Amino acid sequence: EDNLRLNVLLAQAPYAIRINEATMTLYALTAKGEAKIKLNPTVRDEQYLRWVRELLSLKVTGSPGGYPVFLKRWTRMGHTRNNLEQMLLLGEPEAVAAVVHAPSLSHEVGRRAWWASPTAENARRLLEKPEVVAGELGKELAAYLLEFLPFEELALDVVDSVRLCLQAQLISAEERDKLWNRAKRKNPCYVGFLHADVALIPLEPKP
C-alpha cells in the first residue's frame, strides 16, 4: 500500500520530500500544497525507512542502491555536483544540508530546501546566498534566527546568526536595536555587529 502511494506521489513531480521519523509520516511539497503519507511499517522502523529512502532514490536517480551510494558523495563543502532539485526528493536531511551549502543555490531551490529541513544551521547557510537574501525567504529566515537566538549554545553560531540577520535590510531598525540590547546578556552578539557593519551599531553620538 505504501509503495503504491509513494509511486502516485512521485508521479505528481513533487518539489521536495521530508520524513518525520518520530511519527513515521512522509511529507511532500507539491504545486498544490503539502501532501502527506502515513507510513505503515512491516518491520522495524529503521529498516522500513531505509526501504522507503531506497525507493525514493530509485525513482529519482535511477540507482536502486542510491541511499548509501549518494550519501558518501554529499558534502558540506559546497562542491556537490549532484542535481540539487533531485537531492531534495530523497527524504534525507544530510542531502538537504549539501543543497544549502551549494554556492549556485537559487531562491526557489532554497525555499524548497528550507521547507524540507528548517533548522538554524540551514537558515544560516541559506542566508549566505545572494538570491535568497534578496527574495521573500530572506526575511523569513532572519526572523527565524532571531527567534531561535536565545537557544543558541555556541558563541560562533550566535555571531554568525547576528551577522547574517544584519545584512540587506532583513530586519527593521527596531529589531536591530532590540538585538543590540540583547547583546548585554549575550556578548557574542557584539561580535556579530562588528562582522556585519560597524555603522549599524546604534550608539549615541558623544556631545
Side-chain angles (χ1 to χ4, degrees), residues 162-195:
V162 172
R163 173 182 66 85
L164 292 166
C165 286
L166 289 173
Q167 63 181 327
Q169 306 295 320
L170 289 178
I171 63 176
S172 67
E174 181 181 357
E175 290 172 322
R176 189 169 64 241
D177 289 344
K178 288 181 179 179
L179 185 57
W180 177 256
N181 291 330
R182 182 183 294 178
K184 297 174 182 178
R185 302 185 303 275
K186 217 173 183 71
N187 290 337
C189 290
Y190 287 132
V191 184
F193 270 87
L194 291 173
H195 277 282

Side-chain angles (χ1 to χ4, degrees), residues 75-76 92-102 122:
T75 173
R76 298 187 178 211
E92 174 54 60
E94 190 62 29
V96 181
V99 170
V100 301
H101 281 76
N122 286 345

Side-chain angles (χ1 to χ4, degrees), residues 3 14 18 31 66 72-74 77 80-81 91 102 111 113 125 133 148 155 157 166 187 191 194 199 201 203:
N3 193 310
R18 70 170 182 244
K72 293 178 182 178
R73 297 178 185 173
W74 294 334
M77 300 300 292
T80 179
R81 296 182 179 179
R111 182 183 70 85
R125 301 293 71 81
V133 173
F148 189 77
D157 287 341
L166 289 173
N187 290 337
V191 184
L194 291 173
I201 297 177
L203 294 177

Side-chain angles (χ1 to χ4, degrees), residues 61-114:
T61 70
S63 172
Y67 172 69
V69 172
F70 279 83
L71 184 60
K72 293 178 182 178
R73 297 178 185 173
W74 294 334
T75 173
R76 298 187 178 211
M77 300 300 292
H79 300 307
T80 179
R81 296 182 179 179
N82 296 87
N83 183 306
L84 299 183
E85 294 182 358
Q86 283 188 344
M87 293 175 72
L88 293 178
L89 297 173
L90 300 177
E92 174 54 60
E94 190 62 29
V96 181
V99 170
V100 301
H101 281 76
S104 59
L105 190 72
S106 67
H107 181 274
E108 175 57 25
V109 174
R111 182 183 70 85
R112 299 176 187 182
W114 176 242

